[in-house]
Amino acid sequence: QVQLVESGGGSVLPGGSLTLSCAISGFPLENYAIGWFRQADGKEREGIACVSNLGGSTFHAASVKGRFTISRDAAKKMVYLQMNSLKLEDSGVYYCAGVQLSGCRLPMDYWGKGTLVTVSS
């Protein structure tokens, strides 16, 4: 069974940092591009980062570029999102998703259930 399981969400102060993890099982990571998406309460889901199947290329949305970094560890079948300099508007549910392509392209094939990130106070 294909599974993507996010972890690492929580509550953080503005300017703080969090690292999200996506544990992948059921398909070979090297054949899938993996992306991170987020959805704030009143907004559409937004693609924020993607790493290519072999890890050689990354994409970061303008809203997070310079603050967030996506990375992968094929041996551990893990994909990470390092989030620094967090802002209030970064709050939302963060999802990882995979697609059997070299790079991310909608629609993604498999989705995790998400992990909540709250930036406040």
Side-chain angles (χ1 to χ4, degrees):
Q1 181 178 345
V2 173
Q3 280 194 322
L4 295 87
V5 180
E6 305 92 338
S7 62
S11 182
V12 65
L13 295 170
S17 297
L18 284 174
T19 300
L20 305 184
S21 299
C22 177
I24 298 157
S25 62
F27 62 85
L29 182 60
E30 65 270 21
N31 296 136
Y32 286 76
I34 305 295
W36 284 97
F37 299 76
R38 70 184 179 192
Q39 188 165 22
D41 194 2
K43 297 185 177 181
E44 296 294 320
R45 190 170 296 182
E46 173 190 19
I48 57 173
C50 179
V51 60
S52 62
N53 63 322
L54 299 179
S57 298
T58 60
F59 161 83
H60 299 86
S63 59
V64 305
K65 189 174 294 184
R67 300 188 297 118
F68 292 11
T69 303
I70 189 170
S71 62
R72 71 194 289 275
D73 186 331
K76 296 181 179 179
K77 301 194 73 172
M78 298 285 287
V79 176
Y80 307 99
L81 185 68
Q82 177 65 50
M83 306 187 296
N84 299 322
S85 302
L86 283 159
K87 305 175 180 179
L88 269 59
E89 55 263 40
D90 293 320
S91 296
V93 179
Y94 283 69
Y95 303 86
C96 61
V99 63
Q100 194 175 6
L101 295 168
S102 60
C104 291
R105 191 182 192 275
L106 295 177
M108 305 296 282
D109 293 331
Y110 305 108
W111 291 83
K113 293 182 178 180
T115 186
L116 179 63
V117 173
T118 302
V119 185
S120 64
S121 80

